[in-house]
């Protein structure tokens, strides 16, 4: 059975993430493991996707491969995600997205999921390749996809940060922030600010970190004030998008030796129902 799509060349174990794994599923020949025990352990999850991955290549349409890939991504199965979405991407490669409804806007999620899956298996170079292609296609899609362009820019920033290319990462985070501010997408603003701050916090550069995190928390406060129901505020308390910037600002105050500011931030976080 031919391998469907592109499989990470380092043969990463689907159970523990160990590279250069020696065992491979004999049915689909697409998923690798470091040991027979890890292969057996993973079978209860992999068996859901394995039969789909052994289907003949021409039996799956673009939409079907896309659907299967998203299902794998939601199931936190990045390796199977890559297999299905690379196949769908191959189909798209020969298609002018401008001939599709909304210039192919609905397929931009494919590139976001695929690039993110590559990041999950420690393949930032492949992630960059996918996110750049997705960004190009989002530009083709036009104004309807400007918010999605912001997401691609943010993911490119994360990918370059993972490679240690901090100057490149900063440029992408700034561009993502500009687009999200233009369209008033506050959640994307928070992501851009927080991820940009992580560039500096890992270098213990709190002079640059603190203003970014303060601004992120300010945007979160605006979001909190706009929520008019208990359900929305409960979501706020449960979502890592909201929790992480609050916690990071508190830690940044501690590391920069500002204990009173850290205490105030801790109390502020608690007022939003955000526990450690």
């Amino acid at each position: 059975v031919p391998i469907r799509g592109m499989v990470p060349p380092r043969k990463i174990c689907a159970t523990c993430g160990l590279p250069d794994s020696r065992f491979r599923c004999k049915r689909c020949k697409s998923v690798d493991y470091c040991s027979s025990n890890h292969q057996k352990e993973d079978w209860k999850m992999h068996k859901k996707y394995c039969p789909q991955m052994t289907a003949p290549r021409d039996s799956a349409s673009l939409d079907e491969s896309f659907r299967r890939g998203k299902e794998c991504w939601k199931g936190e199965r990045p390796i199977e995600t890559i297999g299905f979405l690379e196949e769908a991407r191959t189909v798209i490669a020969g298609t002018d997205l401008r001939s599709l409804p909304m210039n192919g806007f609905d397929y931009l999620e494919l590139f976001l999921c695929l690039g993110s899956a590559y990041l999950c298996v420690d393949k930032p170079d492949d992630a960059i390749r996918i996110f750049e292609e997705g960004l190009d296609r989002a530009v083709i899609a036009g104004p309807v996809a400007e918010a999605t362009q912001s997401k691609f820019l943010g993911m490119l920033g994360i990918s370059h940060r993972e490679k240690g290319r901090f100057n490149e990462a900063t440029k992408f985070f700034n561009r993502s922030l500009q687009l999200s501010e233009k369209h008033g997408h506050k959640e994307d603003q928070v992501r851009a600010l927080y991820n940009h701050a992580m560039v500096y916090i890992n270098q213990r550069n709190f002079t640059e970190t603190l203003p970014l995190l303060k601004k992120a928390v300010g945007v979160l406060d605006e979001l909190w004030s706009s929520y008019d129901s208990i359900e929305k505020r409960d979501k706020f308390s449960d979502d890592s998008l909201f929790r992480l910037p609050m916690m990071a600002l508190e830690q940044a105050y501690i590391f920069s030796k500002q204990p009173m500011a850290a205490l105030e931030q801790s109390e502020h976080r608690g007022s939003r129902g955000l526990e450690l």
Side-chain angles (χ1 to χ4, degrees), residues 99-147:
S99 67
L100 300 174
M102 297 177 69
N103 291 336
F105 174 75
D106 290 341
Y107 292 106
L108 294 178
E109 184 184 0
L110 183 156
F111 296 94
L112 286 169
C113 291
L114 179 55
S116 298
Y118 274 123
L119 280 180
C120 283
V121 296
D122 194 26
K123 300 290 293 182
D125 286 328
D126 284 318
I128 288 170
R129 170 177 57 85
I130 297 300
F131 290 137
E132 285 179 342
E133 182 178 347
L135 178 60
D136 289 342
R137 291 179 177 275
V139 172
I140 291 174
V144 69
E146 281 198 345

Side-chain angles (χ1 to χ4, degrees), residues 3-276:
I3 298 175
R4 299 168 64 90
M6 292 180 61
V7 178
R10 292 179 67 199
K11 299 182 179 180
I12 294 173
C13 176
T15 302
C16 69
L18 189 72
D20 304 317
S21 297
R22 299 180 296 111
F23 295 82
R24 171 167 285 193
C25 176
K26 293 181 179 179
R27 293 176 175 84
C28 68
K29 296 182 171 61
S30 294
V31 182
D32 299 292
Y33 302 94
C34 66
S35 66
S36 57
N37 286 338
H38 275 189
Q39 184 171 2
K40 291 176 183 176
E41 181 181 334
D42 189 57
W43 177 242
K44 60 186 177 183
M45 292 295 296
H46 179 57
K47 66 182 179 182
K48 179 179 179 181
Y49 309 106
C50 188
Q52 301 173 11
M53 300 183 81
T54 57
R57 286 184 63 87
D58 58 2
S59 70
S61 66
L62 166 61
D63 288 337
E64 183 64 11
S65 294
F66 188 21
R67 182 191 65 77
R68 291 173 177 175
K70 287 197 295 183
E71 181 180 325
C72 291
W73 180 242
K74 290 178 181 177
E76 299 182 356
R77 305 290 299 182
I79 294 178
E80 287 98 331
T81 298
I82 290 169
F84 285 122
L85 294 187
E86 278 289 4
E87 179 176 282
R89 177 177 161 271
T90 299
V91 176
I92 285 180
T95 303
D96 184 351
L97 292 189
R98 287 169 292 191
S99 67
L100 300 174
M102 297 177 69
N103 291 336
F105 174 75
D106 290 341
Y107 292 106
L108 294 178
E109 184 184 0
L110 183 156
F111 296 94
L112 286 169
C113 291
L114 179 55
S116 298
Y118 274 123
L119 280 180
C120 283
V121 296
D122 194 26
K123 300 290 293 182
D125 286 328
D126 284 318
I128 288 170
R129 170 177 57 85
I130 297 300
F131 290 137
E132 285 179 342
E133 182 178 347
L135 178 60
D136 289 342
R137 291 179 177 275
V139 172
I140 291 174
V144 69
E146 281 198 345
T148 308
Q149 289 178 39
S150 174
K151 289 182 171 62
F152 280 119
L153 290 166
M155 295 308 296
L156 279 165
I158 291 172
S159 303
H160 281 285
R161 188 185 67 198
E162 290 298 303
K163 292 289 293 182
R165 300 168 183 157
F166 299 130
N167 289 336
E168 286 296 310
T170 293
K171 292 176 184 177
F172 282 114
F173 289 136
N174 282 334
R175 289 174 61 192
S176 176
L177 179 61
Q178 289 169 3
L179 265 182
S180 58
E181 286 179 336
K182 175 183 175 182
H183 293 280
H185 295 141
K186 295 187 183 300
E187 293 186 3
D188 287 339
Q189 291 173 41
V190 173
R191 290 187 182 95
L193 290 162
Y194 171 75
N195 284 311
H196 191 179
M198 291 302 100
V199 171
Y200 299 112
I201 203 168
N202 291 330
Q203 303 170 21
R204 304 286 182 170
N205 183 347
F206 299 109
T207 302
E208 299 290 346
T209 299
L210 285 170
L212 291 167
L213 290 176
K214 286 179 183 178
K215 187 172 181 179
V217 170
V219 177
L220 288 175
D221 286 338
E222 292 175 12
L223 274 171
W224 172 269
S225 298
S226 70
Y227 291 161
D228 54 3
S229 68
I230 295 176
E231 290 77 12
K232 287 182 179 180
R233 291 192 171 184
D234 284 344
K235 177 182 181 297
F236 186 104
S237 301
D238 293 337
D239 198 323
S240 62
L241 169 67
F242 306 124
R243 189 183 306 110
L244 290 176
M246 293 270 193
M247 294 170 59
L249 179 57
E250 184 179 336
Q251 292 298 311
Y253 279 132
I254 292 172
F255 286 124
S256 60
K257 299 181 180 179
Q258 299 183 52
M260 293 306 298
L263 179 60
E264 289 177 5
Q265 175 57 26
S266 176
E267 293 173 348
H268 180 60
R269 175 174 52 78
S271 72
R272 299 294 188 250
L274 299 169
E275 302 299 332
L276 288 174

